[in-house]
Amino acid sequence: MKDTNTLYQQAVQLLQQLISIPSFSKEEDRTAHLIENFLKMHGINPHRKMNNLWAYNKHFDASKPTILLNSHHDTVKPNTGYTRDPYDGVIENGKLYGLGSNDAGGCLVSLIAVFLYFYDKTDLKYNFCLATTAEEEISGVNGLELIIPDLGELSFGIVGEPTQMHLAVAEKGLMVLDCVAHGKAGHAAREEGDNAIYKAIQDIEWFRTFKFPKESEIFGPIKMSVTVINAGSQHNVVPASCNFVVDVRVTDAYRNEEVLEIIRQHVSCDVTPRSIRLKPSSIDMDHPIVKAGIALGRNTYGSPTTSDQSLLDIQSIKIGPGDSARSHSADEFVYVDEIREGIELYVKMLEQIV
């Protein structure tokens, strides 16, 4: 029987080891190797594809539903404002410092500890699938998305990101649109050409003012922002094209494909999404895991930022120790007590349903 205090101590040590190894997105092979060896040390033989690892509980039963426990081990590059060694992993005044400590190392090691807690239990109502994945920070195709087909059927997911252990019950999706308004070149001194900038202005005004018919109960309306614009070559030439970029934060009221279709129906410019992979996600408020969290005093909210939740087609919640305000900051840290609390709360929530 594994007690949460021992698992907490092991989790902190593992996080210190992870911090000591640079693991920028696409360069996570060494941290993947560390996690693989850690699991093997505990009698678990994980599957591996590129820098992603996954494993199932000892008494996996295909007739039972499966809970996904997922977090990532890649990091961004260190913030230029660092005053400490980003790879030191030192603990001072209850704070564990280091790159990736908060985003999402604390969540990752807590979920690994939770997986170990339930690993060899018998007579569970659910199976567990642990997935420690790569390329989250760049929404890369060789992270969680790569292994989803290998994981099998999943009932719902817990995605570890720093939320102060509150429940992100919905997450906005993201579409970045490259738009091109077309005109005809001509000399500015004469009545020549068809100014693409003026055509773009009409579409940009539509993006600024349009209200989608459906609104999310959690997020309200979809938000669209024109963030980049580029046109023209010199002062006396009417531009034949005008390029602009639109940032679209899609709520759980729509699918990305639906939003794209509505946009194309209303604007005259060419609209090309860079991706429709980053989907909005949500979980029913009466789902057992949500009820379990609320019963433990956890708040629910909608997250405006994207995570690997956006790659899942199952219901999921985003929850984990740490504070998203510290993510990607100089001298990043996580409180060690947050890791202890995270493990205990994850276990208490899951014990209510498994």
Side-chain angles (χ1 to χ4, degrees):
M1 176 67 181
K2 301 179 181 71
D3 67 279
T4 55
N5 186 59
T6 300
L7 291 169
Y8 155 73
Q9 293 172 354
Q10 293 173 343
V12 170
Q13 292 170 359
L14 176 60
L15 181 52
Q16 288 179 297
Q17 292 176 297
L18 287 166
I19 289 168
S20 72
I21 302 171
S23 56
F24 308 136
S25 302
K26 294 183 178 288
E27 301 174 20
E28 314 95 342
D29 53 312
R30 291 171 61 203
T31 46
H33 187 64
L34 174 64
I35 296 166
E36 187 174 14
N37 285 343
F38 178 86
L39 293 173
K40 286 180 176 177
M41 185 178 71
H42 287 84
I44 300 163
N45 287 309
H47 306 272
R48 180 168 178 173
K49 183 179 283 189
M50 296 187 70
N51 295 326
N52 306 286
L53 297 157
W54 70 99
Y56 303 94
N57 55 301
K58 184 175 182 179
H59 302 289
F60 182 91
D61 182 344
S63 68
K64 296 177 181 179
T66 300
I67 301 170
L68 173 68
L69 306 178
N70 166 247
S71 193
H72 65 95
H73 57 101
D74 63 314
T75 73
V76 296
K77 298 283 177 71
N79 185 301
T80 55
Y82 261 87
T83 64
R84 298 170 165 271
D85 180 351
Y87 309 108
D88 196 8
V90 68
I91 299 173
E92 291 180 5
N93 300 318
K95 298 177 180 178
L96 198 172
Y97 288 92
L99 183 65
S101 56
N102 179 78
D103 182 15
C107 305
L108 174 69
V109 298
S110 297
L111 284 173
I112 291 173
V114 170
F115 179 75
L116 293 177
Y117 180 86
F118 289 104
Y119 173 72
D120 54 10
K121 290 185 180 295
T122 57
D123 301 322
L124 294 172
K125 296 176 184 175
Y126 286 83
N127 300 307
F128 283 94
C129 174
L130 172 71
T132 70
T133 50
E135 296 193 12
E136 189 274 344
E137 295 291 2
I138 60 169
S139 300
V141 296
N142 290 319
L144 176 60
E145 187 175 34
L146 179 70
I147 64 168
I148 285 174
D150 299 299
L151 300 182
E153 187 174 349
L154 302 168
S155 176
F156 71 93
I158 296 175
V159 176
E161 290 285 341
T163 70
Q164 298 180 305
M165 289 305 291
H166 293 299
L167 305 168
V169 294
E171 180 182 275
K172 287 187 177 181
L174 169 65
M175 282 195 301
V176 179
L177 307 178
D178 289 308
C179 302
V180 184
H182 296 282
K184 184 179 179 182
H187 198 295
R190 298 188 291 269
E191 291 295 322
E192 291 179 354
D194 185 10
N195 197 318
I197 292 176
Y198 298 152
K199 289 190 169 184
I201 286 172
Q202 295 175 27
D203 286 343
I204 289 169
E205 181 64 7
W206 180 86
F207 279 111
R208 189 181 75 84
T209 59
F210 182 74
K211 302 295 183 187
F212 286 84
K214 292 188 292 184
E215 289 196 4
S216 164
E217 292 183 11
I218 297 171
F219 295 114
I222 287 175
K223 181 170 175 54
M224 299 190 292
S225 304
V226 177
T227 53
V228 180
I229 187 167
N230 186 45
S233 57
Q234 58 191 59
H235 77 89
N236 59 353
V237 177
V238 173
S241 65
C242 178
N243 303 288
F244 60 98
V245 177
V246 188
D247 178 294
V248 184
R249 302 290 167 156
V250 183
T251 71
D252 55 317
Y254 287 91
R255 293 181 62 83
N256 286 352
E257 293 85 350
E258 294 176 289
V259 172
L260 182 60
E261 183 180 354
I262 291 170
I263 290 170
R264 284 174 168 163
Q265 288 172 355
H266 284 83
V267 297
S268 61
C269 60
D270 294 337
V271 180
T272 306
R274 295 181 184 176
S275 168
I276 56 172
R277 294 166 51 240
L278 305 179
K279 304 179 288 284
S281 58
S282 63
I283 192 167
D284 294 336
M285 291 299 292
D286 60 356
H287 192 284
I289 195 68
V290 177
K291 287 183 173 179
I294 292 171
L296 290 166
R298 301 294 91 193
N299 299 325
T300 61
Y301 72 101
S303 174
T305 57
T306 58
S307 71
D308 273 347
Q309 258 190 303
S310 64
L311 302 172
L312 295 171
D313 282 322
I314 55 172
Q315 293 197 85
S316 61
I317 57 168
K318 183 165 65 176
I319 178 174
D323 186 342
S324 64
R326 296 183 218 133
S327 299
H328 307 176
S329 65
D331 299 336
E332 181 182 349
F333 69 88
V334 64
Y335 288 101
V336 290
D337 281 349
E338 290 177 320
I339 297 173
R340 183 190 295 277
E341 179 193 46
I343 295 169
E344 291 174 352
L345 281 170
Y346 279 138
V347 167
K348 287 177 181 177
M349 286 172 61
L350 288 163
E351 281 188 328
Q352 291 188 49
I353 66 172
V354 303

